[in-house]
């Protein structure tokens, strides 16, 4: 988990440095991401979204997210603590409108902490690959709301991939536009 947080912090600092160079041609959003895995856990965390007018006129957005069930379903319960970090890119259709349609992919890494040595025989980590599509709305004030659904292509089988990686997930993002 410490590695995941460190990687997220490095990503955030890097993107913040890019943003300070030329803020008029860039779009940087930082916010909260809530993810619900179909028939399983809530995972919550932070997310960053970045676009630049020199890269396809801000139609291509790069994104990063750090999510954890420790901030969701496992908070105060005996649910499995699981953490993930993902990097990805979205193509935003209708990119000059308030309501946009982002479609993209995510690559990431997943870790489950079973908290008991008897479960050490189970897989506890895996690479992630998913496709995601949804809606994004930018308000007149510096806030963007996004809703999306995604599909994990690496599903948990419990033998080689952690069994808590389910195929379908839903996301809600609330971003502050810097």
């Amino acid at each position: 988990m410490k590695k995941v947080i460190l990687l997220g912090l490095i990503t955030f600092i890097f993107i913040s440095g890019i943003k300070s160079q030329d803020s008029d041609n860039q779009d940087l959003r930082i916010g909260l991401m809530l993810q619900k895995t179909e028939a399983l856990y809530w995972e919550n965390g932070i997310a960053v979204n970045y676009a630049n007018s020199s890269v396809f006129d801000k139609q291509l957005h790069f994104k990063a997210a750090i999510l954890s069930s420790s901030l969701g379903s496992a908070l105060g319960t005996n649910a499995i603590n699981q953490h993930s970090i993902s990097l990805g890119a979205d193509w935003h259709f209708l990119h000059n409108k308030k309501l946009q349609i982002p479609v993209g992919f995510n690559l990431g890494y997943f870790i489950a902490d079973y908290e008991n040595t008897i479960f050490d025989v189970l897989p506890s980590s895996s690479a992630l690959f998913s496709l995601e599509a949804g809606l994004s709305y930018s308000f007149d004030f510096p806030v963007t709301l996004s809703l999306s659904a995604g599909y994990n292509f690496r599903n948990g089988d419990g033998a080689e991939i952690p069994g808590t990686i389910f195929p379908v997930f839903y996301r809600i993002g609330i971003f502050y536009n810097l």
Side-chain angles (χ1 to χ4, degrees):
M1 178 62 184
K2 290 178 185 176
K3 291 179 186 176
V4 170
I5 292 172
L6 181 61
L7 184 59
L9 185 60
I10 290 169
T11 303
F12 173 75
I13 291 169
F14 175 74
I15 290 175
S16 295
I18 291 171
K19 177 64 176 174
S20 64
Q21 292 175 2
D22 185 10
S23 60
D24 291 338
N25 295 326
Q26 300 179 44
D27 183 2
L28 177 63
R29 303 171 187 174
I30 298 174
L32 300 174
M33 180 70 66
L34 292 78
Q35 177 174 298
K36 172 67 170 122
T37 301
E38 179 68 31
L40 198 61
Y41 294 146
W42 280 97
E43 297 172 272
N44 305 318
I46 59 172
V48 176
N49 189 310
Y50 175 78
N52 190 303
S53 61
S54 65
V55 181
F56 298 107
D57 193 31
K58 294 186 184 178
Q59 278 189 277
L60 183 63
H61 287 236
F62 300 99
K63 59 187 180 176
I66 300 173
L67 302 173
S68 176
S69 65
S70 299
L71 302 172
S73 295
L75 185 63
T77 69
N78 64 350
I80 296 171
N81 286 310
Q82 56 188 40
H83 319 284
S84 66
I85 184 166
S86 64
L87 301 172
D90 286 336
W91 186 264
H92 281 238
F93 295 94
L94 307 173
H95 73 286
N96 289 325
K97 306 292 184 189
K98 289 185 178 287
L99 181 64
Q100 300 177 9
I101 303 170
V103 176
F105 71 93
N106 304 304
L107 299 172
Y109 191 71
F110 172 91
I111 300 168
D113 180 8
Y114 300 119
E115 298 181 1
N116 194 322
T117 57
I118 64 170
F119 298 113
D120 285 349
V121 297
L122 297 175
S124 61
S125 63
S126 175
L128 297 172
F129 174 66
S130 63
L131 294 180
E132 185 177 4
L135 298 172
S136 176
Y137 186 81
S138 295
F139 293 94
D140 290 331
F141 46 94
V143 172
T144 299
L145 176 67
S146 67
L147 304 169
S148 63
Y151 185 84
N152 283 315
F153 286 95
R154 291 190 49 90
N155 299 313
D157 58 9
E160 295 181 16
I161 300 173
T164 58
I165 300 176
F166 280 28
V168 177
F169 62 88
Y170 310 101
R171 286 184 172 176
I172 301 170
I174 302 168
F175 296 94
Y176 179 76
N177 306 334
L178 297 176

